[in-house]
Amino acid sequence: DIPFVTPAGALPAMAYGDYDGDLDLELAIVTHQGSGTGVNVWGLSVVDFSEGPWELFQFIPADYEAILDLSLTSTYDAERNVATLQAGEAVLELDLTALGYSDPGGEVAASLGGWVLFTAQEDTLSATFSIDLSAPGLPAQGLQYAALLQADVVYTGSAFGLGDFTFSQSEF
């Protein structure tokens, strides 16, 4: 059920690790899901060998999008022209004037962008998401890749979550 070979020919990345802390190894598989103008999405699957027959668990977009909808907030200070992003304890202020937008034309909102990357290293799974900004005075597609949100992927042996968020200003 995992798309190993994509039309773009991007092969999966695979790594063994104890991602759920049960002292048994799982296989993480990161697969290319799609790309195009402004989009580059990778998916995460974990094959768990610990309970009899192999079980496949996938961290699907609906799941991480729901977590990010609950975790990512933004506020806008019109006087300073600064958008503030927050996820968990992580906070990032974006000066829209410095980014070339002196008048966004109203309230600025943050949302998940078109770039999603998962990585597996040793016993750790992580994710990086691009964050877009939208406002009436910004381009129609919004301010894409305004920030990057990194998070640890929490795998419990049957479900996924996100935690330990950090932001960085995008270099895109």
Side-chain angles (χ1 to χ4, degrees):
D1 293 339
I2 302 170
F4 283 102
V5 180
T6 65
L11 296 174
M14 294 184 258
Y16 281 108
D18 181 14
Y19 304 116
D20 60 4
D22 66 356
L23 303 179
D24 290 322
L25 293 178
E26 293 83 34
L27 175 64
I29 305 168
V30 177
T31 56
H32 184 257
Q33 302 292 305
S35 59
T37 303
V39 176
N40 187 14
V41 177
W42 291 76
L44 174 64
S45 301
V46 172
V47 179
D48 198 321
F49 307 102
S50 61
E51 297 294 324
W54 297 359
E55 291 187 78
L56 172 67
F57 299 96
Q58 295 180 307
F59 197 17
I60 62 174
D63 292 340
Y64 60 76
E65 289 170 1
I67 295 168
L68 291 174
D69 282 345
L70 294 172
S71 302
L72 177 65
T73 61
S74 63
T75 57
Y76 176 62
D77 181 341
E79 188 174 304
R80 294 176 46 224
N81 197 28
V82 170
T84 302
L85 310 178
Q86 183 166 0
E89 299 296 316
V91 176
L92 176 68
E93 288 190 343
L94 295 171
D95 181 338
L96 297 182
T97 302
L99 294 173
Y101 299 96
S102 59
D103 183 12
E107 191 62 30
V108 177
S111 62
L112 175 63
W115 198 76
V116 177
L117 174 67
F118 293 98
T119 56
Q121 190 171 32
E122 296 180 6
D123 293 336
T124 304
L125 300 169
S126 59
T128 303
F129 305 98
S130 65
I131 303 299
D132 294 350
L133 298 179
S134 60
L138 295 179
Q141 74 275 10
L143 182 53
Q144 295 181 316
Y145 310 112
L148 297 176
L149 176 61
Q150 294 85 25
D152 289 342
V153 175
V154 179
Y155 171 67
T156 66
S158 61
F160 294 93
L162 295 171
D164 196 21
F165 294 103
T166 58
F167 281 107
S168 60
Q169 192 162 343
S170 176
E171 299 295 325
F172 291 117

